[in-house]
Amino acid sequence: MSNEHTPLLTTGVCGLPVGMAVCGLGSASPTETAAGAPIAAPRKLNTFFGVMVPTILSMFSIVLFLRTGFVIGHAGLLQGLVMLIVAYTIISLTILSICAISTNGAVQGGGAYFMISRSLGPEFGGSIGLMFFLAKVCACGVYVLGLVEAVLDVFGQDPESNVAVGLRVLPRGYWFTVLYSSGVLFLCLLVCLVGAHIYARTALLILLVVNITLLSIFISSLAVKPLDFVVSHQGPGNQTRHYNVSYTGFNVTTLKANINAGYTLDYSTNSVMSFATVFAVMFTSCTGIMAGANMSGELKNPSVSIPKGTIIAVCYTFTVYILLFFLVSATCDRALLVQDYGFFQRINIWPPFVTIGIYSASLSAAMSSLIGASRILHALALDQLFGLPLAPAAITSRSGNPWVAVIYTWGLAQCVVFAGELNAIAGLVTVFYLLAYAAVDLACLALEWASAPNFRPTFQLFSWHTCLLGIVSCVVMMFVINPVYSSASIVVLLLLLLILHYRAPTSSWGYISQALIFHQVRKYLLMLDVRKDHVKFWRPQVLLMVSNPRSSCQLISFVNQLKKGGLYVLGHVQLGDLDTLPSDPVQQQYNFWLSLVDKLGVKAFVDLTLSHSVRQGTQHLLRITGLGGMKPNTLVLGFYDNCTPEDYFLQDPAFCEASLGPGGDEGDNFGVDLPSLQAHFPPVRNAENKRWLMPVEYVGIISDAIKMSKNVCLGRYFFQLQGEGRQTKTDGANRTIDVWPVNLLWPGKSDCVDVCSLFLLQMACVLNMASRWRHAQMRIFLCVEAECSDQGWVVKEETFRELLRTLRIRASITIVPWDCVVQLYGDGGRRAEDESPTRALPEEFLAAVNGLLLEHSAQAAVRFLYLPRPPTRSSLSQPYLAQLDAVTQGLGPTLLIHGVTPVTCTDL
């Protein structure tokens, strides 16, 4: 158990376990602790190499050199700028959320997945993480296909002659494209198997090459004179089409011609473009904002590097794209932009500059996606959310490189390249990324709305407004791009979420749902004003006192049917004195009781207390259990008798090891497995054991509850009740509920419409509305003195029938003459109003009442009896219990009820 000396952090300042003495010292090997567990790989990358470089390269990727003309040619400058601003607005809102989450605590490997899962819990984290992994895989395929397209533009055979001429020796066609893509992808695999740090070092060189290429493009716009070209494409039916295109240099006429949109046929897919399809392709340039976050496991200081590096990278790429859009619009006619996506090579002062830049940017983006996806998969495998299918992905090399996850990712990316065309899968990639970005915004929004004190990120430039706007923007653009892909991705996400929910993976990350529920419950509890209570909306709110669950499980399950959507609390008093104990023993028991609640499948809270006596502890619980308008109004106790209780744990299959199945895994047990649960609760009391609760104290508990205006129920023989188990399926069709609304121990007071009798009827009616009792027959027995000369019982019967109709209670009424029983009471069955509620009653009378009950209710599933008010003098406690014992002897499941609060209403 944690105390004030428990370390807050599991690792020391050098990344070693807290138990290790000094950084750099100890007998453990570099890769293993003394226990043999591998130590996390050292973090090597800073902000520039770990975040800025991969983010810039991923955001430039293939769009910078191969699709800038495609965007301006089809959408025009104005719509192109609108697309760019919308895309960067969406990613900027997401970046604010990323910065907030990443600066709120230590970020481990897995990047975006780690942030989402540790914020939203395993269900959302695992499902979104897997979707984000698939997005990175598809993006890797897009970049590889873009690279192959660029290679074929330079080295591919002429589409008209299909003959090798000079350097143009590579044959074209779908299967050749797949073959080249597979080769490039295999090259990426080899690099990624070496390790992320190797890629990070080569990435700097690639970034320099890309920036030099960009500089050459800007210089060429000034140095290269206007040129005319002929561009050829192979169209449908193997027909070759020729287009006359021109590069005009800076020209106002060209700029004006490119201002507006001109959507036309895309020669690579032979389909007409639209705003949505062009935006989908253009947005792939914005999918790299998490390239740095995905490297979180290799960053020296992720909480600083991720926000700083990502924001700088996004600002830099946005500036470059804006300048490039204006440059292209002012120098190239629309035919050139639409018919030749690799036109930058034609208009450069030295065409190999652009070729090298395209190859470098595309190859770098592909490797970045492959590495990022493998890190996400590795994190998913380490968290064991999807079980055996992903288990091998947790394997790493001695240097910490997750090589199995890399191979998994490479295999899936290999499937993606069978699409054959970049533009064909751009929409799917964009939808996946938008869904992942929306999830990041949702994670930040949930943390903000939960108002948890520990959510205090050092990055403050965000609010719930930015998070909500980011979510809405992502979802709207998803459906604008492709409603089918969007709907399918959301359905897949929900299926994954349900799978993870029913697998119930245990995690110690915390559940944002719990924080949000707490926030909302507190708000609604404040709105639940006890001064506005009305009898029309009364419902049972039950506190069931349990001594040992081993003997009370049937009663616990039965009372669960009585709550009717109200509060249900299992209470237990631990005897002891806190002054003599080192710590509170009650706190350590809650998990066991909550696991018991889960096992029984009841919807109950648990409240435990430590007290010198059971009576005092019950008083504590009656006063402090619940909150606001949700406090118990009914106390339920087991019956006090001399019967030896049975051990329910030995009878119920739910408490047997075999019920867990072959794997023995029942889901979330929060550290309490079945053997621990069984061992925690002591064996049931036998005949030799001393009872902790005396009759005087038991009756005192009843009296205390009544004084506190709580209704009281005593349950006897509920261990005989069948059909209340968790797996039982019944609607009560063969059951009967018998109600005796008369005080059988006071024949002279036979009024059936007092508060207690009406409470008795209400509780029986509530039980009859429960799922397992809804078809049970309810029978009401009216005890009358049929031989009475005034025949008042006839009027009483009619009055009672009218009462049932008014209260909408469906039940049959049986008249039970009990003249002979009343005669045994003495004094003609009459008693003075000021006489003690409990006096010494003749044994013959008690036996006669018991016989009457056995005669009429022997076959009932459960009986509801009137519980007389307990005596005020403690000396009468034993006789009081003896009378209750005699009356209910051998009846079967019986509930003795004493109601003190009005619970019925005839008004609308």
Side-chain angles (χ1 to χ4, degrees):
M1 184 176 178
S2 299
N3 55 40
E4 65 272 20
H5 303 297
T6 303
L8 290 176
L9 301 175
T10 57
T11 57
V13 293
C14 298
L16 297 175
V18 171
M20 300 201 76
V22 182
C23 296
L25 299 180
S27 59
S29 65
T31 58
E32 293 186 353
T33 64
I39 298 176
R43 298 171 178 265
K44 303 177 181 179
L45 304 179
N46 58 20
T47 301
F48 182 76
F49 286 103
V51 181
M52 286 181 59
V53 172
T55 302
I56 291 172
L57 289 176
S58 295
M59 296 188 71
F60 280 160
S61 63
I62 50 105
V63 173
L64 181 68
F65 298 118
L66 292 181
R67 288 298 181 269
T68 300
F70 167 83
V71 173
I72 299 300
H74 287 284
L77 178 61
L78 290 181
Q79 289 194 21
L81 291 175
V82 169
M83 291 180 185
L84 192 67
I85 292 171
V86 169
Y88 270 81
T89 299
I90 291 174
I91 64 171
S92 297
L93 295 172
T94 305
I95 288 169
L96 298 181
S97 300
I98 293 172
C99 294
I101 296 174
S102 63
T103 59
N104 189 54
V107 181
Q108 305 299 323
Y113 160 70
F114 184 89
M115 296 179 191
I116 297 170
S117 62
R118 269 52 176 181
S119 300
L120 297 184
E123 291 94 345
F124 274 100
S127 53
I128 291 292
L130 193 59
M131 296 294 287
F132 191 52
F133 164 74
L134 294 176
K136 298 293 288 185
V137 169
C138 292
C140 180
V142 166
Y143 301 143
V144 168
L145 289 171
L147 176 58
V148 170
E149 180 182 313
V151 169
L152 291 177
D153 282 345
V154 178
F155 300 104
Q157 293 177 354
D158 188 277
E160 185 174 5
S161 62
N162 286 328
V163 176
V165 178
L167 295 176
R168 303 180 72 86
V169 296
L170 296 178
R172 295 175 181 265
Y174 169 78
W175 288 109
F176 283 110
T177 300
V178 172
L179 177 63
Y180 304 148
S181 300
S182 300
V184 172
L185 199 56
F186 186 74
L187 176 63
C188 294
L189 171 66
L190 294 179
V191 174
C192 294
L193 286 176
V194 174
H197 61 284
I198 301 297
Y199 160 73
R201 290 170 183 167
T202 59
L204 177 61
L205 178 61
I206 296 173
L207 181 62
L208 290 175
V209 171
V210 170
N211 280 292
I212 291 172
T213 304
L214 277 173
L215 187 61
S216 73
I217 289 174
F218 288 114
I219 293 174
S220 298
S221 64
L222 300 174
V224 176
K225 296 180 180 180
L227 298 170
D228 293 323
F229 313 100
V230 176
V231 178
S232 301
H233 296 302
Q234 190 169 354
N238 291 325
Q239 296 180 355
T240 302
R241 297 181 178 180
H242 303 278
Y243 302 92
N244 294 316
V245 299
S246 61
Y247 165 76
T248 64
F250 283 102
N251 191 299
V252 176
T253 304
T254 304
L255 179 63
K256 289 181 179 179
N258 290 326
I259 286 288
N260 297 316
Y263 296 106
T264 184
L265 192 72
D266 170 30
Y267 69 81
S268 65
T269 60
N270 290 319
S271 58
V272 177
M273 294 291 99
S274 64
F275 181 92
T277 53
V278 173
F279 180 82
V281 174
M282 197 280 300
F283 194 82
T284 56
S285 67
C286 303
T287 56
I289 60 170
M290 291 188 182
N294 292 334
M295 303 290 289
S296 57
E298 283 84 17
L299 297 174
K300 292 178 182 177
N301 192 346
S303 297
V304 174
S305 298
I306 292 174
K308 182 179 177 181
T310 304
I311 291 174
I312 293 174
V314 168
C315 292
Y316 176 71
T317 56
F318 180 73
T319 303
V320 170
Y321 276 118
I322 288 288
L323 293 175
L324 209 55
F325 276 23
F326 276 102
L327 174 68
V328 169
S329 300
T331 59
C332 304
D333 72 352
R334 188 177 296 273
L336 174 60
L337 300 177
V338 170
Q339 301 302 334
D340 186 4
Y341 300 153
F343 69 94
F344 278 130
Q345 299 174 60
R346 297 180 182 270
I347 62 173
N348 200 273
I349 52 175
W350 190 54
F353 263 140
V354 178
T355 303
I356 295 171
I358 293 173
Y359 295 172
S360 301
S362 301
L363 192 62
S364 171
M367 287 191 292
S368 176
S369 296
L370 192 62
I371 290 175
S374 65
R375 273 26 178 199
I376 295 172
L377 186 64
H378 177 63
L380 283 166
L382 288 177
D383 289 336
Q384 300 178 353
L385 297 184
F386 292 94
L388 290 177
L390 296 187
I395 299 173
T396 61
S397 64
R398 292 180 61 85
S399 62
N401 187 30
W403 62 273
V404 178
V406 172
I407 293 175
Y408 268 46
T409 307
W410 168 77
L412 290 175
Q414 181 64 56
C415 297
V416 174
V417 299
F418 280 97
E421 285 294 342
L422 184 157
N423 290 0
I425 56 174
L428 181 62
V429 174
T430 300
V431 166
F432 276 166
Y433 270 105
L434 285 171
L435 188 61
Y437 293 167
V440 174
D441 290 322
L442 177 63
C444 190
L445 178 67
L447 289 169
E448 178 71 7
W449 275 355
S451 301
N454 282 322
F455 182 62
R456 43 180 187 270
T458 56
F459 184 86
Q460 294 291 323
L461 299 178
F462 78 101
S463 70
W464 68 267
H465 304 85
T466 61
C467 300
L468 186 60
L469 184 59
I471 295 171
V472 172
S473 302
C474 290
V475 174
V476 168
M477 289 313 301
M478 279 172 60
F479 283 92
V480 167
I481 290 168
N482 195 310
V484 176
Y485 286 166
S486 301
S487 302
S489 62
I490 292 174
V491 169
V492 171
L493 176 66
L494 293 176
L495 287 175
L496 290 172
L497 194 149
L498 289 174
I499 291 171
L500 288 175
H501 177 74
Y502 284 109
R503 275 180 50 83
T506 305
S507 77
S508 58
W509 313 332
Y511 296 80
I512 189 63
S513 58
Q514 295 296 301
L516 292 171
I517 290 169
F518 178 89
H519 187 269
Q520 292 301 107
V521 167
R522 181 195 65 85
K523 181 172 72 174
Y524 287 117
L525 274 175
L526 290 172
M527 297 169 62
L528 189 60
D529 193 341
V530 294
R531 297 168 296 182
K532 298 178 181 179
D533 280 349
H534 194 279
V535 68
K536 284 192 298 186
F537 307 110
W538 180 91
R539 67 183 70 231
Q541 304 202 77
V542 182
L543 170 64
L544 171 61
M545 297 303 299
V546 180
S547 174
N548 189 343
R550 286 181 176 271
S551 58
S552 308
C553 288
Q554 287 283 32
L555 183 59
I556 293 172
S557 298
F558 174 77
V559 175
N560 187 57
Q561 302 290 313
L562 277 177
K563 67 182 185 302
K564 189 55 180 173
L567 180 68
Y568 181 23
V569 182
L570 300 184
H572 175 73
V573 179
Q574 175 79 33
L575 295 179
D577 184 358
L578 194 59
D579 290 337
T580 63
L581 298 171
S583 62
D584 185 3
V586 167
Q587 299 303 319
Q588 303 172 18
Q589 298 184 30
Y590 271 97
N591 263 11
F592 294 97
W593 283 84
L594 291 172
S595 296
L596 173 74
V597 167
D598 294 338
K599 274 284 184 186
L600 294 174
V602 297
K603 297 178 181 179
F605 298 94
V606 172
D607 214 346
L608 313 177
T609 189
L610 183 71
S611 181
H612 298 285
S613 68
V614 177
R615 181 177 182 180
Q616 187 181 59
T618 305
Q619 288 180 14
H620 293 167
L621 293 177
L622 282 171
R623 292 183 188 279
I624 66 176
T625 295
L627 199 62
M630 294 190 69
K631 296 184 75 69
N633 55 31
T634 304
L635 173 68
V636 180
L637 302 171
F639 194 78
Y640 192 97
D641 56 22
N642 294 319
C643 295
T644 302
E646 297 186 26
D647 192 339
Y648 185 78
F649 282 12
L650 301 179
Q651 304 172 17
D652 191 341
F655 293 92
C656 300
E657 292 282 0
S659 68
L660 299 182
D665 184 12
E666 198 191 27
D668 246 342
N669 54 31
F670 296 95
V672 180
D673 55 12
L674 185 56
S676 301
L677 182 66
Q678 293 173 330
H680 175 74
F681 296 109
V684 296
R685 175 180 55 84
N686 55 40
E688 289 77 23
N689 290 132
K690 178 184 175 182
R691 302 191 65 153
W692 291 101
L693 188 64
M694 294 295 103
V696 173
E697 191 175 7
Y698 181 82
V699 176
I701 292 173
I702 300 173
S703 299
D704 294 342
I706 294 174
K707 290 176 184 177
M708 298 167 72
S709 299
K710 308 294 183 184
N711 310 295
V712 179
C713 303
L714 309 181
R716 188 177 192 187
Y717 293 127
F718 275 92
F719 63 88
Q720 299 178 6
L721 184 62
Q722 302 298 320
E724 291 300 303
R726 184 175 184 177
Q727 306 300 328
T728 305
K729 303 295 182 183
T730 179
D731 59 3
N734 298 320
R735 291 176 165 184
T736 55
I737 303 170
D738 286 1
V739 183
W740 296 77
V742 175
N743 188 347
L744 297 174
L745 297 184
W746 192 349
K749 192 179 188 316
S750 56
D751 188 4
C752 298
V753 290
D754 64 0
V755 170
C756 187
S757 298
L758 291 177
F759 183 80
L760 202 73
L761 289 171
Q762 182 79 330
M763 293 301 285
C765 188
V766 166
L767 180 64
N768 205 189
M769 298 167 73
S771 59
R772 293 178 182 171
W773 296 84
R774 61 179 178 270
H775 290 150
Q777 180 187 2
M778 194 163 98
R779 304 185 301 182
I780 300 175
F781 295 88
L782 293 183
C783 296
V784 300
E785 296 180 52
E787 298 176 3
C788 185
S789 58
D790 60 3
Q791 296 293 307
W793 65 270
V794 178
V795 177
K796 181 192 295 185
E797 179 189 358
E798 289 302 320
T799 303
F800 196 77
R801 290 186 186 277
E802 181 61 30
L803 175 66
L804 292 184
R805 283 193 292 270
T806 304
L807 295 177
R808 291 88 62 203
I809 296 176
R810 292 174 295 178
S812 62
I813 298 178
T814 302
I815 302 299
V816 180
W818 70 328
D819 302 76
C820 59
V821 177
V822 173
Q823 294 303 319
L824 297 174
Y825 181 81
D827 300 328
R830 300 289 179 260
R831 181 168 66 183
E833 290 296 324
D834 58 350
E835 190 177 341
S836 171
T838 303
R839 69 170 194 175
L841 297 176
E843 293 184 7
E844 296 82 3
F845 169 73
L846 296 174
V849 172
N850 179 251
L852 189 71
L853 292 170
L854 286 172
E855 178 186 353
H856 293 278
S857 291
Q859 303 303 318
V862 67
R863 301 144 196 84
F864 286 73
L865 303 184
Y866 191 117
L867 175 66
R869 194 180 188 90
T872 55
R873 289 183 293 171
S874 59
S875 60
L876 296 176
S877 297
Q878 186 70 50
Y880 174 74
L881 291 177
Q883 292 172 10
L884 297 179
D885 179 71
V887 168
T888 58
Q889 188 67 41
L891 280 183
T894 302
L895 204 63
L896 293 123
I897 299 176
H898 187 90
V900 296
T901 56
V903 295
T904 57
C905 180
T906 58
D907 298 332
L908 284 176

